[in-house]
């Protein structure tokens, strides 16, 4: 036996507890080195007399240590497989490691504005396939001005009816291609000019008789004034409309609610085993609603590839493995009276102002875009305009696809759509336009899919399925809810394959980092698909306008859409910008746009599938 008494004596004198033989490894610690040395000097040369059975015990001890170390190493390796290694530079576009110049459809914010804050991910595992530099760059992309002082009364909030706008240096006539600037002054309910920015405006130039309109970009000067810019894109008269979607005070409430309360929207999990059934609350994050203070609060369902986890309250009598169905639960935002009043009083109101007719003369030149619709193109502001209810794209040469042309374009194509109900509208529109497509009855949910249309004669195969949890839907089998990244990993791709996805509407009630994690896994899967099948066409449908409350306002949608655009910018994919289309169209604002808008969205999509 090794003589431990002197070592324990030295440790005792140093104020440490007595060591057992397995703890002698602590002698390697610099803080204990001197005590170890003294102990060894006092004890003299150690002698070890190990018998045959003791060798077996030591060998067993070594095996246990090696297995433990191996387990921790594999645990770290498994989690790190989702983090982009430094050597794989294509996973992190170089523009994200710099301070990007914003080229978006939305507010441009000077650096001196006080801004909203974000909840940072609690663990490094949230940074799936992104670095800290990319996360910081995304936060820069999403910066938003916020009130400089605490709001104590709803009357401090921006009042749309007290705001005003004027055309800067108005002229009698303009020509197609000119730019018109408009100055906006924000005021509170007392009529006092605001001294800080952060109001969320949407602006359009329009002509009702011509069914013409285009999107206006807004610049926040952080002092209660804003500049709106319009490109004049059609000949004829035009008027200006500027709406206050949310006051800066309302935006602050939306931001705080997003970060602190993931249970605003909750879900149900249905557990079944034999004749026993239980329904419990579920969500995408551990939360108070899931009884997290209980040591055994939750059933956890991790996805092996994405690393994401779905959580449900632990059923009283059934095992976690008995989860069979999923559905929407309900809405339960916890708002104070003042928060409710601020959110309601400043929501989607057209502000008054000097709105003269903008008289636009034709130059005779054809302003339509002529370049082919290919992947990798930037989205300008404006990205196009409506005229006689037809969208003219400023991205590329957009075509119309009536029934015969659509059938020709989709011949021999395999189209996989994954996303929410606004993308399902594309699937349904194509099905209505092409009666030759047969909808296969698969006895799955009409709300979440998977859905399938085929035409054997033209060899067309089109699918749509929901993007996976979280999903506000009717009761649906859990087995039918697949993450987009997992679906992409199961596709071979190729020149006849088109992938279309969108993501945003079901994530508006969660902190941004949860959405970023989902997008990051999709980006990894897209890059993997393009490596093995470079000719695959990958199309991303942007968010559209229509949400106006704490569960999914346009501001919350804009934040997520901006993150998605940033994370795919510079990659060989297609972005269909429907935000600008839905923002400027005359139709009533709705999360599900009318058929005329969907037709233009699909025509732009097919222009990339079959470019001229």
């Amino acid at each position: 036996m090794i003589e431990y008494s002197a070592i324990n004596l030295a440790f005792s004198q140093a104020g440490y507890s007595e060591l057992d033989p397995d703890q002698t490894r602590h002698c390697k610690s610099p803080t204990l080195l001197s005590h170890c040395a003294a102990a060894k000097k006092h004890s003299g040369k150690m002698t070890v007399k190990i018998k045959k059975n003791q060798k077996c015990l030591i060998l067993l001890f070594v095996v246990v240590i090696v297995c433990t170390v191996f387990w921790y190493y594999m645990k770290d390796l498994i989690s790190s497989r989702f983090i982009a290694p430094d050597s794989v530079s294509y996973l992190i576009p170089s523009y994200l490691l710099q301070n990007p110049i914003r080229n978006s459809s939305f507010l441009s914010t000077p650096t001196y504005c006080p801004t909203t804050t974000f909840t940072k991910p609690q663990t490094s595992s949230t940074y799936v396939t992104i670095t800290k530099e990319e996360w910081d760059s995304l936060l820069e992309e999403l910066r938003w001005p916020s009130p400089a002082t605490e709001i104590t009364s709803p009357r401090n909030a921006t009042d749309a009816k007290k705001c005003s706008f004027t055309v800067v240096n108005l002229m009698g006539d303009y020509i197609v291609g000119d730019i018109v600037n408009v100055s906006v002054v924000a005021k509170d309910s007392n009529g006092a000019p605001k001294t800080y920015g952060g109001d969320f405006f949407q602006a359009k130039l329009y002509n009702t008789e011509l069914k013409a309109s285009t999107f206006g970009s807004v610049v926040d000067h952080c002092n209660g004034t804003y500049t709106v810019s319009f490109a004049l894109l059609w000949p004829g008269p035009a008027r200006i409309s500027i709406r206050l979607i949310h006051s800066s005070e309302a935006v602050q409430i939306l931001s705080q609610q997003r970060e602190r309360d993931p249970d605003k929207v909750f879900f149900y999990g249905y557990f079944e085993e034999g004749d026993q059934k239980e329904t419990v609350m579920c969500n995408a994050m551990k939360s108070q609603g899931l009884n997290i203070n209980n040591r055994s609060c939750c059933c956890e369902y991790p996805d092996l590839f994405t690393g994401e986890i779905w959580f449900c309250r632990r059923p009283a009598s059934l095992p976690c493995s008995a989860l069979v169905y999923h559905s929407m639960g309900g809405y339960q935002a916890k708002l104070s009276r003042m928060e409710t009043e601020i959110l309601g009083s400043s929501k989607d109101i057209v502000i008054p102002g000097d709105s003269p007719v903008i008289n636009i003369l034709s130059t005779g030149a054809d302003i339509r875009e002529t370049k082919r619709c290919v992947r990798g193109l930037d989205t300008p502001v404006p990205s196009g305009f409506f005229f006689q209810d037809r969208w003219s794209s400023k991205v590329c040469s957009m075509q119309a696809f009536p029934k015969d042309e659509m059938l020709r374009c989709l011949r021999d194509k395999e189209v996989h759509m994954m996303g929410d109900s606004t993308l399902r509208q594309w699937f349904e529109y194509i099905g209505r336009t092409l009666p030759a497509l047969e909808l296969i009855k698969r006895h799955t949910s009409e709300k979440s899919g998977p859905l399938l249309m085929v035409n054997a004669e033209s060899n067309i195969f089109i699918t749509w399925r929901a993007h996976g949890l979280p999903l506000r839907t009717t009761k649906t089998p859990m087995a039918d809810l697949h993450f987009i990244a997992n679906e992409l990993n199961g596709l071979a791709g190729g020149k006849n394959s088109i992938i279309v996805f969108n993501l945003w509407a079901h994530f508006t009630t969660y902190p941004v980092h949860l959405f970023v994690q989902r997008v990051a896994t999709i980006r990894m899967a897209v890059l993997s698909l393009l490596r093995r099948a470079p000719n695959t066409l990958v199309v991303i449908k942007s968010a559209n306008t229509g949400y106006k409350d704490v569960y999914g306002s346009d501001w919350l949608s804009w934040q997520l859409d901006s993150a998605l655009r940033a994370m795919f910018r510079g990659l060989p994919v297609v972005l269909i910008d429907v935000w600008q289309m839905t923002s400027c169209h005359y139709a009533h604002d709705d999360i599900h746009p009318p058929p005329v808008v969907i037709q233009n969205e699909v025509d732009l999509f097919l222009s990339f599938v079959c470019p001229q």
Side-chain angles (χ1 to χ4, degrees), residues 47 82 123 172-173 223 276 383:
T47 57
F82 307 112
T123 66
D173 292 310
N223 59 5
Q276 285 186 283
S383 63

Side-chain angles (χ1 to χ4, degrees), residues 73 81 160 194 241 255 290 318 322 330 335 404 487 508 516 549:
Y73 170 78
R81 66 175 288 206
K194 301 293 289 290
S241 173
S255 176
L290 298 184
L318 291 175
L335 296 171
D404 292 344
E487 283 293 300
T508 51
V516 168
D549 57 36

Side-chain angles (χ1 to χ4, degrees), residues 41 148 162 193 235 272 418 475 477 479 516 557:
K41 182 176 180 181
K162 299 293 177 65
E272 297 184 5
M418 294 162 271
K475 190 174 180 180
V516 168
S557 300

Side-chain angles (χ1 to χ4, degrees), residues 239-286:
R239 289 189 177 273
I240 294 166
S241 173
I242 301 174
R243 293 183 296 160
L244 177 65
I245 304 301
H246 290 297
S247 68
S248 57
E249 294 75 19
V251 169
Q252 186 181 58
I253 294 168
L254 292 171
S255 176
Q256 292 170 348
Q257 282 284 325
R258 176 186 64 187
E259 300 299 316
R260 73 187 181 201
D261 183 16
D263 287 332
K264 288 186 296 299
V265 171
F266 66 94
F267 304 88
Y268 287 136
Y270 300 84
F271 291 73
E272 297 184 5
E273 191 170 83
D275 295 331
Q276 285 186 283
K277 296 182 179 181
E278 280 191 64
T279 303
V280 302
M281 180 177 173
C282 301
N283 221 321
M285 298 176 64
K286 278 189 175 181

Side-chain angles (χ1 to χ4, degrees), residues 362-380:
S362 174
T363 62
D366 190 348
I367 64 168
R368 290 179 297 180
E369 186 56 58
T370 58
K371 62 175 172 281
R372 297 177 76 245
C373 294
V374 296
R375 58 187 181 179
L377 297 176
D378 291 332
T379 301

Side-chain angles (χ1 to χ4, degrees), residues 292-534:
I292 60 173
N293 295 327
N294 189 319
R295 182 177 301 177
S296 59
C297 77
C298 306
C299 293
E300 299 186 5
Y301 303 92
D303 182 79
L304 295 179
F305 175 75
T306 67
E308 296 187 67
I309 305 176
W310 185 250
F311 301 94
C312 291
R313 275 189 182 181
R314 190 175 295 274
S317 58
L318 291 175
C320 290
S321 58
L323 178 61
V324 180
Y325 296 101
H326 163 86
S327 81
M328 172 66 183
Y331 298 90
Q332 54 177 14
K334 300 177 180 65
L335 296 171
S336 68
R337 173 180 287 183
M338 184 174 73
E339 289 175 329
T340 301
E341 187 172 345
I342 289 175
L343 283 173
S345 64
S346 64
K347 182 174 68 176
D348 194 15
I349 301 173
V350 177
I351 69 174
D354 179 16
S355 183
V357 173
I358 308 297
N359 191 34
I360 310 168
L361 304 178
S362 174
T363 62
D366 190 348
I367 64 168
R368 290 179 297 180
E369 186 56 58
T370 58
K371 62 175 172 281
R372 297 177 76 245
C373 294
V374 296
R375 58 187 181 179
L377 297 176
D378 291 332
T379 301
V381 181
S383 63
F385 64 99
F386 282 106
F387 190 84
Q388 299 293 358
D389 257 347
R390 289 293 305 159
W391 181 258
S392 293
S393 174
K394 299 298 291 180
V395 176
C396 61
S397 178
M398 178 177 165
Q399 308 166 58
F401 286 86
K403 180 173 68 174
D404 292 344
E405 287 300 308
M406 184 182 293
L407 185 64
R408 177 193 61 79
C409 179
L410 291 175
R411 189 181 304 275
D412 293 323
K413 296 294 191 302
E414 184 177 312
V415 183
H416 297 278
M417 299 182 181
M418 294 162 271
D420 59 34
S421 56
T422 65
L423 183 58
R424 190 180 70 232
Q425 287 184 280
W426 287 19
F427 179 89
E428 293 166 347
Y429 170 78
I430 292 173
R432 291 194 303 270
T433 305
L434 294 181
L437 284 173
E438 181 181 359
L439 179 65
I440 305 300
K441 299 292 185 180
R442 300 188 64 191
H443 307 291
T444 58
S445 167
E446 293 181 359
K447 299 293 185 181
S448 55
L451 306 178
L452 170 63
M453 295 187 298
V454 299
N455 180 273
E457 182 179 351
S458 297
N459 194 29
I460 301 173
F461 182 93
I462 305 176
T463 67
W464 175 88
R465 70 181 313 134
H467 54 55
L469 301 169
L471 192 69
R472 305 175 199 174
T473 187
T474 55
K475 190 174 180 180
T476 301
M478 285 287 291
D480 281 341
L481 301 178
H482 299 179
F483 290 131
I484 292 176
N486 291 338
E487 283 293 300
L488 294 176
N489 286 330
L491 296 175
K495 65 179 182 179
N496 294 319
S497 293
I498 298 103
I499 310 299
V500 191
F501 73 88
N502 79 320
L503 197 72
W504 108 91
H506 296 260
F507 291 81
T508 51
T509 56
Y510 297 105
V512 171
H513 67 75
L514 188 140
F515 178 77
V516 168
Q517 173 174 313
R518 178 66 60 87
V519 175
T521 61
I522 295 172
R523 182 177 65 181
M524 174 183 282
V526 166
L527 289 166
S528 179
L529 171 63
L530 293 177
R531 283 198 302 272
R532 66 178 178 268

Side-chain angles (χ1 to χ4, degrees), residues 551-590:
Y551 302 107
S553 81
D554 280 351
W555 182 81
L556 294 170
S557 300
W558 168 81
Q559 288 263 294
L560 301 184
D561 196 54
S562 295
L564 183 144
R565 291 170 189 248
M567 294 179 71
F568 277 92
R569 191 184 300 142
L571 300 183
V573 298
V574 172
L575 174 72
I576 303 296
D577 187 325
V578 304
W579 182 278
Q580 296 189 44
M581 283 192 196
T582 55
S583 176
C584 73
H585 194 263
Y586 62 81
H588 178 69
D589 229 6
D590 194 329

